[in-house]
Amino acid sequence: MSKFPFEVQTEDIQPLSVLSPEGEIVNPDMMPELTDEQLKEIMYRMVFTRTWDDRAINLGRQGRLGFYAPVSGQEASMVGSVYPLQKEDFVVPAYRDMPQIVWHGLPLYQAFLYSRGHQHGGQIPEGVNVLMPQIIIGAQILHAMGIAMGFKLKKQAQVAITYTGDGGSSEGDFYEGLNFAGAFNLPVIFFVQNNGYAITTPFTKQTAAKSIAHKSVAAGIHGMQVDGMDVLAVIKAVQIAAERGRKGEGATLIESLTYRFRPHSMADDTTKYRTKDEEAEWAIKDPIVRLGKYLEKKGLWTEEDTARVKDEAKAKVNAEIKRAEQTEKMTVAGLIDSMYETTPQHLEEQKADFQ
Amino acid sequence: MAQMNMKEAIRDAMRVELKRDPNVVVFGEDVGHVGGVFRATEGLQKEFGDERVFDTPLAESAIGGMAVGLGVTGFRPVAEIQFVGFIYEALDQMCVQAARLRYRSGGRYNAPIVFRTPFGGGVKAAELHTDSLEGLMIQTPGIKVVIPSNPYDAKGLLISAIRDNDPVFFMEHLNLYHAFRDEVPEDDYTVELGKANVVREGKDVTILAYGLMVHTAMKAAAELEKEGVQAEVIDLRTLMPLDIDTIVESVKKTNRVIVVQEAQKTSGVAAEVIAQINEKAILHLEAPVLRIAGPDTVYPFAQIEDQWLPNPARIIAGVNKVLNF
């Protein structure tokens, strides 16, 4: 490290951690204020999300779901980062972030319809403040920034949260979004789930930065790193960032260190780019096991509870996939009519070819 | 009525809408304090404040993405992309994110955005300041494309564009900003999107054009008149959606057509216009429809742009070809 006073210096950071893999509170000062009922609700959501992921893999193999990006391993980052938000806050996801938008209010059958390639999947109900999953890596970061600008101009004490991965943090839109958020002092949270791999490319090949959190320095916004397998730490980090946003103290970049236990999508093979040893190391950090141990010690959770939630989740997934399958099919005429508010003449004429 | 050049008329359109609708916001690079590199937004920040009219950091994709996000929260953004070539940096936000928002959300969200940008050759500008990129945009479902040729239309079309609930790409020809003044009403009026304008009636040949090329076509038509040829000149005004009815009506009258555009010849607006004439009026044609356009090269450096751009002589030669077919 250079000693010149005119060179930029940055120091190493340690991720925020509250709960150890053994389920012990290691950082009581940073323990978020949560009631027992809330702790159980968080556990419920994580177990539910894992079961939904298990079922989605099977539904994908049966051809009942289309494109699907698995989430197992990332439940603490996903469930924890939307848990502290208010209903009016906006959630702006990438394609893996289905749990966040469902827990923020999107009906599950619509998440399945999105995966099945049905337009109704993106028809977000009124009053649910989420955008559709984004496919272009990083594009959504700018939408969250723009939504936060809207909140600021309307003097609403709300925040927007947006998600990308370690790969997404290399995109131009990522830097542009952070920079605009800094320049306009916007109430936005950039939540990066660093799961170590952009499909197959490891994080070591993604950047020479000390961490993704350090990228906040260049934009002049707050930055923090959190143990993304520790749901209590994730909740605390988002609480800090959201409170700042509501108070007009600007944007925060949160790097959440996590791991996807499964492949990037249904189509890749993790053995080509990850070792069994590495996967085993991360399995020990399983966010559900960790919170479960803590709750069991507090007498708030048992194995029977886990079994019950799994059953409930399976039944719910089955009912919602059926509802998705029974939803009336799209038509080309309907597609044509969704291009503009008023369908122009040339498109009206093109409808005739499909009737 | 006031006398305004096209730049002043464009500014007046934004003033009318900023006054009328509190959700209209105007922003872009150098747009706020100074009022834009061409001063098209001059005075608006002073009049409406820096939360309605503001400068952004220099990043076109972020300008586009901010517009999408603001649209989702109920604003009607008028975003300026400083020069047309810079839209390449914003293409994802314009052509994917804004243009698909209504479709992707099944109508739950829309993008009531106007992307304004100056374009057009003949001003000896730097590279990538003057290209005609409307062809890229007309290939993008979900976006409308508007190019005015005079101050009156510019104001009325821009007001319509700002009120439109779909994204509109509004291209302003650099050579028309200060070219001439027109009578322009100071209050609010609209010129409907999707309607062409017959600017000169004639019976012998139809010349279709837009932007500065309308004026080049008018010069050619005046020359042709001396030779006894009555040319009808139509200003397309909106390129997406295209007013094919007005075009077909003229084709039925004159039976001979040329299409003039500054853009490169292949696969552009002219090609699309000809395809639609082919579908709707081929039996009314006495000659093939010709394109007078730039060659299929990159837009040239300033030294040869005057030769590169269509001029009255090339238009007259084209007209003579279709007349003598």
Side-chain angles (χ1 to χ4, degrees), chain A residues 14 47 65 118 124 128 134 138 152 166 175 177 194 213 217 228 238 241 243 271 286 291 298 300 304 337 339:
Chain A
Q14 289 296 317
V47 174
L65 277 185
H118 192 300
I124 312 296
V128 176
Q134 180 59 241
K152 184 186 170 186
D166 36 317
Y175 293 97
N194 180 354
V217 175
V238 173
E243 198 182 338
T271 63
D286 190 319
L291 185 66
K298 280 178 73 94
L300 295 175
E304 289 73 45
D337 282 336
M339 295 314 306

Side-chain angles (χ1 to χ4, degrees), chain B residues 4-21 24 26 40-41 44 48 52 78 114 116 148 151-163 170 172 184-191:
Chain B
M4 293 185 202
N5 63 29
M6 195 173 92
K7 182 186 76 182
E8 291 160 348
I10 284 166
R11 182 193 300 150
D12 207 46
M14 286 185 269
R15 179 183 291 121
V16 164
E17 288 306 280
L18 281 160
K19 219 181 251 182
R20 194 187 63 84
D21 183 348
V24 172
V26 173
T41 52
L44 296 180
F48 297 99
R52 304 285 309 282
V78 182
V114 179
R116 290 180 45 243
Y152 179 89
D153 282 355
K155 180 173 172 183
L157 287 167
L158 183 53
I159 291 176
S160 290
I162 294 171
R163 293 179 191 176
F170 194 90
E172 302 162 6
V184 176
E186 281 168 286
D187 51 354
D188 110 31
Y189 68 93
T190 57
V191 173

Side-chain angles (χ1 to χ4, degrees), chain A residues 53 57 61 68-72 74 96 195 199 260-271 273-274 279:
Chain A
D53 196 53
I57 303 286
R61 290 192 182 120
Y68 180 74
V71 303
S72 286
Q74 298 185 209
R96 197 180 307 280
N195 65 17
I199 307 189
R260 64 173 150 74
F261 292 162
R262 292 189 156 128
H264 163 75
S265 69
M266 304 294 286
D268 93 297
D269 174 3
T270 59
T271 63
Y273 57 91
R274 304 199 302 208
E279 290 182 358

Side-chain angles (χ1 to χ4, degrees), chain A residues 119 122-125 130 133-134 139 142-143 147 149-150 154-155 173 176 180 184 335 338 340-341 345 349, chain B residues 51 54-55 57 59 61-62 65 69-70 73 92-93 97 102-106 108-109 142-143 165-166 245 280:
Chain A
Q119 193 174 29
Q123 219 159 21
I124 312 296
V130 308
Q134 180 59 241
L142 299 176
H143 304 158
I147 288 167
M149 185 72 172
K154 289 186 172 175
K155 309 205 168 18
D173 281 353
E176 292 190 17
F180 268 53
F184 288 108
L335 167 67
S338 67
Y340 297 93
E341 183 177 40
Q345 183 187 331
E349 289 170 7
Chain B
E51 294 202 334
F54 52 90
D55 292 310
S61 184
L70 282 169
T73 47
D92 174 56
Q93 291 299 335
Q97 307 303 334
R102 180 183 293 284
Y103 147 73
R104 295 189 72 234
S105 68
R108 167 71 171 84
Y109 300 115
I143 204 160
N165 285 327
D166 290 304
D245 289 350
K280 302 208 172 215

Side-chain angles (χ1 to χ4, degrees), chain A residues 297-314:
Chain A
K297 282 177 209 167
K298 280 178 73 94
L300 295 175
W301 200 264
T302 62
E303 275 182 26
E304 289 73 45
D305 288 319
T306 299
R308 171 183 54 81
V309 177
K310 279 185 179 171
D311 287 345
E312 273 181 43
K314 278 182 203 161

Side-chain angles (χ1 to χ4, degrees), chain B:
Chain B
M1 288 285 213
Q3 288 282 321
M4 293 185 202
N5 63 29
M6 195 173 92
K7 182 186 76 182
E8 291 160 348
I10 284 166
R11 182 193 300 150
D12 207 46
M14 286 185 269
R15 179 183 291 121
V16 164
E17 288 306 280
L18 281 160
K19 219 181 251 182
R20 194 187 63 84
D21 183 348
N23 288 317
V24 172
V25 283
V26 173
F27 56 90
E29 295 156 8
D30 307 302
V31 158
H33 181 65
V34 165
V37 289
F38 292 102
R39 308 290 181 264
T41 52
E42 193 171 35
L44 296 180
Q45 187 180 70
K46 206 171 172 200
E47 189 173 347
F48 297 99
D50 61 6
E51 294 202 334
R52 304 285 309 282
V53 181
F54 52 90
D55 292 310
T56 66
L58 201 164
E60 290 78 15
S61 184
I63 290 169
M66 175 182 259
V68 171
L70 282 169
V72 166
T73 47
F75 288 92
R76 303 188 84 83
V78 182
E80 180 178 302
I81 304 295
Q82 194 164 63
F83 285 98
V84 68
F86 309 169
I87 71 164
Y88 287 116
E89 291 284 341
L91 276 187
D92 174 56
Q93 291 299 335
M94 295 170 71
C95 296
V96 178
Q97 307 303 334
R100 291 180 180 220
L101 193 61
R102 180 183 293 284
Y103 147 73
R104 295 189 72 234
S105 68
R108 167 71 171 84
Y109 300 115
N110 61 307
I113 302 166
V114 179
F115 294 104
R116 290 180 45 243
T117 194
F119 84 106
V123 294
K124 309 268 182 272
E127 249 189 306
L128 283 161
H129 283 50
T130 47
D131 297 49
S132 292
L133 301 182
E134 62 275 14
L136 290 177
M137 292 294 161
I138 64 163
Q139 284 227 339
T140 301
I143 204 160
K144 296 180 180 178
V145 183
V146 176
I147 300 184
S149 70
N150 61 71
Y152 179 89
D153 282 355
K155 180 173 172 183
L157 287 167
L158 183 53
I159 291 176
S160 290
I162 294 171
R163 293 179 191 176
D164 200 280
N165 285 327
D166 290 304
V168 179
F169 186 46
F170 194 90
M171 299 174 70
E172 302 162 6
H173 201 291
L174 283 164
N175 236 338
L176 289 174
Y177 271 152
H178 308 113
F180 59 96
R181 287 174 186 276
D182 242 359
E183 289 284 317
V184 176
E186 281 168 286
D187 51 354
D188 110 31
Y189 68 93
T190 57
V191 173
E192 193 183 345
L193 304 187
K195 295 287 175 208
N197 187 25
V198 180
V199 290
R200 186 186 203 280
E201 292 199 22
K203 59 178 177 43
D204 299 323
V205 62
T206 300
I207 307 176
L208 303 173
Y210 54 93
L212 181 70
M213 286 299 117
V214 173
H215 302 279
T216 311
M218 289 297 278
K219 280 180 196 153
E223 289 299 313
L224 287 162
E225 172 126 50
K226 292 178 194 162
E227 297 165 25
V229 175
Q230 299 292 324
E232 179 146 299
V233 179
I234 297 181
D235 178 356
L236 298 176
R237 297 199 291 200
T238 301
L239 307 178
M240 176 58 68
L242 194 67
D243 181 2
I244 191 65
D245 289 350
T246 297
I247 295 169
V248 165
E249 203 176 309
S250 183
V251 172
K252 285 178 179 170
K253 182 166 71 172
T254 65
N255 314 116
R256 291 177 165 83
V257 188
I258 65 167
V259 193
V260 187
Q261 65 179 23
E262 261 182 68
Q264 291 81 352
K265 189 170 188 178
T266 301
S267 300
V269 170
E272 177 55 31
V273 167
I274 292 168
Q276 292 197 31
I277 292 171
N278 169 45
E279 287 170 351
K280 302 208 172 215
I282 196 165
L283 295 178
H284 294 276
L285 289 174
E286 296 291 346
V289 182
L290 297 185
R291 287 172 287 183
I292 308 297
D296 290 331
T297 66
V298 296
Y299 189 85
F301 292 125
Q303 220 169 62
I304 53 162
E305 70 177 337
D306 289 342
Q307 293 104 290
W308 192 91
L309 290 163
N311 56 29
R314 282 179 59 204
I315 294 173
I316 291 165
V319 166
N320 284 328
K321 260 192 198 165
V322 298
L323 287 175
N324 300 321
F325 181 76

Side-chain angles (χ1 to χ4, degrees), chain A residues 121-346:
Chain A
Q123 219 159 21
I124 312 296
E126 285 291 335
V128 176
N129 278 354
V130 308
L131 279 189
M132 300 73 69
Q134 180 59 241
I135 296 296
I136 299 298
I137 307 296
Q140 74 282 8
I141 293 167
L142 299 176
H143 304 158
M145 176 273 289
I147 288 167
M149 185 72 172
F151 286 150
K152 184 186 170 186
L153 292 178
K154 289 186 172 175
K155 309 205 168 18
Q156 293 173 340
Q158 304 304 141
V159 299
I161 188 168
T162 187
Y163 295 89
T164 192
D166 36 317
S169 77
S170 298
E171 287 279 1
D173 281 353
F174 176 82
Y175 293 97
E176 292 190 17
L178 265 59
N179 187 57
F180 268 53
F184 288 108
N185 192 38
L186 298 180
V188 55
I189 302 167
F190 304 103
F191 195 95
V192 179
Q193 296 177 82
N194 180 354
N195 65 17
Y197 295 87
I199 307 189
T200 68
T201 304
F203 184 56
T204 50
K205 291 186 182 173
Q206 204 63 245
T207 181
K210 273 179 184 283
S211 75
I212 292 171
H214 278 86
K215 297 186 180 190
S216 61
V217 175
I221 65 172
H222 303 281
M224 56 174 96
Q225 197 179 50
V226 62
D227 178 351
M229 309 301 266
D230 173 354
V231 72
L232 300 179
V234 171
I235 288 172
K236 184 67 184 177
V238 173
Q239 276 177 346
I240 293 170
E243 198 182 338
R244 253 185 210 147
R246 290 185 216 291
K247 283 202 232 157
E249 293 169 8
T252 304
L253 168 63
I254 300 175
E255 177 186 13
S256 183
L257 302 174
T258 185
Y259 201 74
R260 64 173 150 74
F261 292 162
R262 292 189 156 128
H264 163 75
S265 69
M266 304 294 286
D268 93 297
D269 174 3
T270 59
T271 63
K272 295 260 189 336
Y273 57 91
R274 304 199 302 208
T275 64
K276 287 280 166 210
D277 286 349
E278 181 186 286
E279 290 182 358
E281 264 172 52
W282 280 93
I284 295 167
K285 300 175 185 171
D286 190 319
I288 296 177
V289 172
R290 189 184 302 202
L291 185 66
K293 283 180 181 167
Y294 173 65
L295 294 186
E296 278 174 33
K297 282 177 209 167
K298 280 178 73 94
L300 295 175
W301 200 264
T302 62
E303 275 182 26
E304 289 73 45
D305 288 319
T306 299
R308 171 183 54 81
V309 177
K310 279 185 179 171
D311 287 345
E312 273 181 43
K314 278 182 203 161
K316 175 83 171 164
V317 168
N318 285 345
E320 296 283 301
I321 190 75
K322 274 195 193 111
R323 185 168 173 199
E325 285 167 341
Q326 285 161 4
T327 301
E328 198 177 338
K329 281 198 172 151
M330 286 176 68
T331 63
V332 176
L335 167 67
I336 284 173
D337 282 336
S338 67
M339 295 314 306
Y340 297 93
E341 183 177 40
T342 306
T343 301
Q345 183 187 331
H346 68 284

